[in-house]
């Protein structure tokens, strides 16, 4: 029995930070050893700094841990999970990477930087070596690895097995996203009770460009984005957790419904082969019922790490239509980063 | 001051039947004189037969009116507004038309019949003469006219002005539909609280085929459907009233954003020219705010009879993306039929 | 035809401020002539300073009006409707009263001050002369009048007719309050979707002490609170508008159900006699249906100014149990202040 | 390792029936061996007869089990968990008991019968011997034991430790109950979205009379109800699972806040001493946070079997006020019956 790797959490008090704490409690490889948040929280015990909003109890050990200021890497462990807002991430994460830390980030700040891997382990775990091109890696051994936006991740999990077999060419996607995706306090109740908001700032652009990078390939020292055209409509709905997406796709190679369902069902990748602790047995689950997936019923499949696909049917305009659902704060945020951390560990990047 | 035309309501106790009563109270041309519903309700005063669910009071005169059985046209006035379920409509509406009644129906039963006009007055009021080809019309002077599905109506209101100027070629639409669209009791709370259901039976097919008929043209004695390809994804969300739709369109003729917005803003048709009592001044309203339309804020525009469009922006796959909202039980149901009735009256079909 | 009285709104951009604007549009006596809000909003046109959240359009005249800083009464009209938060109210409202303004406030800041009338016109319009004891009134002719908390107002409307006839002795009340009561952004969606929050800061104390002042009597120069003991439980629920309250009461004089219902139904007061423009014909409406009142169906009775009572039945512990509902941002806030303003005008206090 | 006891489920397809299946999967003592439901479901495999609505997968073994008609005990195992509606229960449960079955029922049909134990194991496990007075028991060895209504159970769990130490005399309770309490399809979405319904048929009476029986004592061959007066207001709110209750109590013996909190925290009973598999370590948990309990955050405490209490504060009318929450389909229904079954087993009644 080996000791667990101590890890720190940047942005530990927010919605995603709390998920990190919840998911890392009892993690076989990682142990939360350091918590950091804004200056307002620094110096307080975690239970006081954070308004714990999850429906499992705040672990006692964490409750009494002191929160540090996120602004300085001093005293932080080598491995850092980050859940900062985008602006803070752009400023703070490079500091940590420059100081030799492995920054495994859920933030959007660095995702589209040329030398920063944007990774879903099942989809493009082979992009990780890109991190070796980072100046930080060369200078201090530190680096930054990111996971995509919560709305891109479910989509790309569903597209990846199809792209491998049939080459996805065009994607139309319309989302119905949960309020937890906006953090806390996030969306005011008056804006969303009995309502739909057809706008989430920057979300459509993120889905479109991140999906192309994720489905692209590592060509020597750079990512060549996939040659896919996407058009996204992003909407917020009165759901707590779970992003739903209506998708139409055009493929380069013909595929029958059975072939598509097989591609999803047989999808197993690096995380499954390496038996990473957070990897779901089936990253993509096809549900044949006529009215699934649904957030309330399906978000916890694979402990929140599986995407559920349903309603596969022909599209009048493209080839196929379907619906995909994934848990936006587990598979779409904290769980995504932890799985990236596990892959990094398994491949020796955290030594 | 002329007397109002007495009208009957088939399916008077349901969600749409109640809207008919609400909207016809104080109507300048029509007066509710006869109510009919299922055998279970027949013989009871309306207040007892119906569970009134609108937030304006049940008119006292209506409360004490006796409900008749929908199965027989005996004693019914000439003009009938119908809100039966599809199966009942197929059986009952032809009986009424054969008996010489003007059946102005919101039901889906007869919508796609070759000789039955499917009409949105602003879009294809010129399809009404098709009713003269009906066997009923020739034999008894009776006829049936229908309005489209609640999800088709908002979409087609937004498409029509664009189709006239730029020819719509392809339409991708993903809906987020209110629970009132399913009637009462309709959607169980356990199915929709904090949830999205990605399926509404037959809805996608209805949107696709009804839209083509609505945007088509009357060629002598038949409707030639518009040459448009549509692909619909229909979803139910936790909203009480108001269907939202994310739309991407491809046009045959190029159009700038300004030209599109102008097409919407300048859209005035028969109902506006004839000053029909229920016609909104602007059937389509473009809202330039980045996060509109929204059901809670925008469904009552034009007293529930206007469609609100927003978020016009280029589409990566087609030409333009936008969002459209309309009130599903007013513009999408009872109000639609009443406007059809007003057009029929204005054009002499109810004499 | 006389000119309308120009009025100003302090706190014009918030939830209640917006209701003031909505309800005063087309008001026969008052005309919005001056808008003020926080320093952040000052100097901007209203449409830019406020995020309009009501489902009727922002009046065009208001949209382009410049917003002033609430901190100074300079340039403000004599009559001021105020919707500031409590802390700001305590500082700013006295400034305006001292400068000779009639401050008609919805804020809680001054409500319990000894010389400030806390008024519901139907209940204790006769408390208004208390304002003459204010130092401001003597020195500048200015004064402050307040209306109660949104949760107290529905309760006291239901209690007042019973108190007059049967003397209320004890009141147990448990509320289910709408999110709009917390203003905007107010309650985070993550806190209330599919949830109940059993706590609203200071709300229980406000209900208890304000109710006693409202039902008390003006004895020369001071209010003698009613000798009623109240115990309140305040809860927040996922409702947009409308506070529901479960109530049990003990009376000093025996009353039958019919006598109680009559007391409510016959309740007519000063505002009804004076035909104040915002006064509902029936301030309290008893609905005999077994499952009413309900927020979605009943909040707009009397244009949002009537309280609806239902479910009158014996109480095992006290005498009677019932449920009362009122619209928290109309009768419970902006409408309450406007009705106070109308009573002040009718009684000559605004000359 | 002993074999598990085969059990049957009456009413297996409904909301509570599904919870039985979920909670009994992997139960150490009981194994589902027989499923029964209405005639409509009889003869179908369970997966086809039931619309599975829980967010854990339907166990495969159960999915393919054949559903029998609930009308006949033929072929059913000795131990039966029942979740029938009240009318069906009154007719069917006696048949099973007469045929020698141990009927452990969640239904309301037999609860208030003089010789039927109404039991919460932590509260009145000592009422079980009452079952020996049943005619069925004498004639066939069969019997019926019931658990209380979902709204009574949380209240009585909170009252029981106080009643033991301080004697509860008066109880005022106002509930905010989840929609799952009404079964499926149950509450229509149109009735509860953005709404509160202040009425649940028979619920107030059930709470009042069941609570007195539960807190009563077994005196020889009959239950003497507790001498407590209760007044209940029952409301339905837009929550999926979890009944909230605002409570005021009057005690015969004085108690400080600390003494009350200790009474709750130290509450351990038969199920805890016997280490029954479904018994929560702490049946009542006091949460000192100012805004707890909340359904979304607290219903799963003790795996849904603990009641959470909060907001203890003095009451102006009685002695103390507080809020209690419990999971209505686990602790309030299926879990309650299973815990009764475990107590019956531990005390030798199922041999």
């Amino acid at each position: 029995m080996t000791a667990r790797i101590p890890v720190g959490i940047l942005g530990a008090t927010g919605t995603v930070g709390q998920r990190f704490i919840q998911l890392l409690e009892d993690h076989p490889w990682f142990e939360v050893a350091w918590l950091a948040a804004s200056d307002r929280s620094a110096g307080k015990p975690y239970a006081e700094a954070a308004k714990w909003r999850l429906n499992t109890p705040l672990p006692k050990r964490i409750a009494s841990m002191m929160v540090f200021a996120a602004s300085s890497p001093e005293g932080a462990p080598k491995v850092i999970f980050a859940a900062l807002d985008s602006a803070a991430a752009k400023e703070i994460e490079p500091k940590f990477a420059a100081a030799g830390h492995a920054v495994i980030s859920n933030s959007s700040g660095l995702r589209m930087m040329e030398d920063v891997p944007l990774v879903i382990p099942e989809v493009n775990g082979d992009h990780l070596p890109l991190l070796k091109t980072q100046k930080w890696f060369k200078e201090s051994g530190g680096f930054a690895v990111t996971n995509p936006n919560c709305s891109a991740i479910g989509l790309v999990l569903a597209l990846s097995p199809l792209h491998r077999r049939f080459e996805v060419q065009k994607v139309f996607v319309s989302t119905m996203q949960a309020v937890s995706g906006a953090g806390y306090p996030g969306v005011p109740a008056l804006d969303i009770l009995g309502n739909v908001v057809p706008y989430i700032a920057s979300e459509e652009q993120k889905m479109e460009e991140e999906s192309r990078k994720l489905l692209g390939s590592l060509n020597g020292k750079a990512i060549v984005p996939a040659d896919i055209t996407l058009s996204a409509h992003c909407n917020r709905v009165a759901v707590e957790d779970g992003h739903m997406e209506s998708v139409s796709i055009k493929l380069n190679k013909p595929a029958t419904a059975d072939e598509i369902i097989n591609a999803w069902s047989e999808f197993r990748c690096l995380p499954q082969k390496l038996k990473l602790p957070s990897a779901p047995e089936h990253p993509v689950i096809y549900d044949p019922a006529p009215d699934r997936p649904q957030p309330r019923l399906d978000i916890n499949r694979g402990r929140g790490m599986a995407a559920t696909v349903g309603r596969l049917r022909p599209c009048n305009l493209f080839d196929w239509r379907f619906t995909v659902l994934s848990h936006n704060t587990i598979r779409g945020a904290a769980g995504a980063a932890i799985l990236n951390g596990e892959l990094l560990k398994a491949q020796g990047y955290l030594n």
Side-chain angles (χ1 to χ4, degrees), chain A residues 27-344:
Chain A
H27 193 279
W29 295 357
F30 302 128
E31 179 171 27
V32 175
W34 186 84
L35 302 169
S38 68
D39 291 349
R40 203 182 44 218
S41 298
K44 295 181 187 164
Y46 184 80
E48 190 185 315
K51 185 175 175 188
W52 186 254
R53 297 290 306 157
L54 295 175
N55 68 358
T56 55
L58 171 58
K60 283 201 178 134
R61 189 179 66 88
I62 301 292
S64 58
M65 278 176 67
M66 195 61 61
V67 177
F68 291 87
S71 49
S72 158
E74 204 186 310
K78 164 148 182 163
V79 178
I80 297 291
F81 289 105
L84 299 164
D85 67 62
S86 182
K90 272 186 191 152
E91 188 196 325
I92 292 173
E93 291 180 4
K95 274 199 213 171
F96 277 73
H101 295 271
V103 179
I104 305 163
S105 171
N106 176 60
S107 326
S108 66
L110 310 183
R111 277 182 205 150
M112 294 308 295
M113 286 183 61
E114 282 197 0
D115 57 0
V116 174
L118 174 67
V119 172
I120 301 172
E122 284 92 344
V123 171
N124 64 334
D126 60 332
H127 289 197
L128 279 187
L130 181 68
L131 68 84
K132 296 182 186 169
T133 69
Q134 294 174 8
K135 191 183 60 168
W136 308 310
F137 187 76
K138 296 169 195 158
E139 294 177 356
S140 70
F143 59 84
V145 167
T146 61
N147 60 262
N149 188 275
C150 51
S151 59
I153 216 159
L155 176 66
V156 172
L157 274 172
L159 294 181
S160 178
L162 309 187
H163 191 53
R164 291 173 189 208
R165 295 195 184 177
F166 317 112
E167 289 175 20
V168 175
Q169 185 190 332
K170 296 179 180 178
V171 178
F172 186 108
V173 57
S174 180
T175 71
M176 292 159 283
Q177 301 182 224
V179 293
S180 60
Y184 186 87
V187 181
L190 279 177
D191 278 350
I192 206 67
L193 271 177
N195 206 17
V196 171
V197 179
Y199 177 68
I200 302 172
S202 304
E203 194 84 356
E204 294 171 351
Q205 187 190 342
K206 284 181 194 169
M207 283 195 82
E208 292 164 1
E209 69 184 19
E210 293 180 10
S211 297
R212 297 179 75 238
K213 182 169 180 181
L214 286 159
L215 293 167
S217 52
L218 178 61
N219 188 352
K221 303 197 162 180
I223 301 297
V224 182
D227 185 18
I228 300 174
T229 310
L230 298 100
S231 178
H233 295 248
C234 290
N235 301 286
R236 185 81 68 194
V237 293
V239 165
E240 296 148 34
D241 290 307
H243 288 354
M244 289 279 282
E245 309 185 355
S246 295
V247 185
S248 279
I249 54 168
K250 187 166 174 49
L251 304 170
N252 281 329
K253 301 176 188 170
T256 66
D258 281 350
E259 287 169 339
I260 285 179
I261 292 171
N262 284 343
W264 282 326
S265 304
E266 295 166 3
F267 190 48
R268 297 288 182 292
C269 294
L270 222 42
Q272 284 71 36
K273 284 175 204 147
L274 296 170
K275 294 186 192 295
L276 301 182
S278 301
E281 190 185 351
H282 299 274
V284 180
I285 295 168
Y286 182 74
D287 190 318
D291 60 353
R292 302 291 276 269
Q294 295 179 20
R296 279 193 56 222
L297 301 177
D298 298 312
I299 47 166
N300 290 323
R301 297 200 186 200
R303 287 163 298 143
M305 291 296 285
T308 304
V309 184
R311 295 209 71 218
L312 182 69
R313 61 206 191 281
C315 179
N316 300 333
L317 287 163
F318 291 168
D319 293 322
W320 292 100
R321 280 180 271 194
F322 59 85
T323 298
V324 61
L325 166 76
S326 62
H327 194 305
N328 57 298
T329 62
I330 298 182
R331 176 49 104 158
I338 292 172
L339 193 61
N340 278 350
E342 292 169 0
L343 182 59
L344 286 162

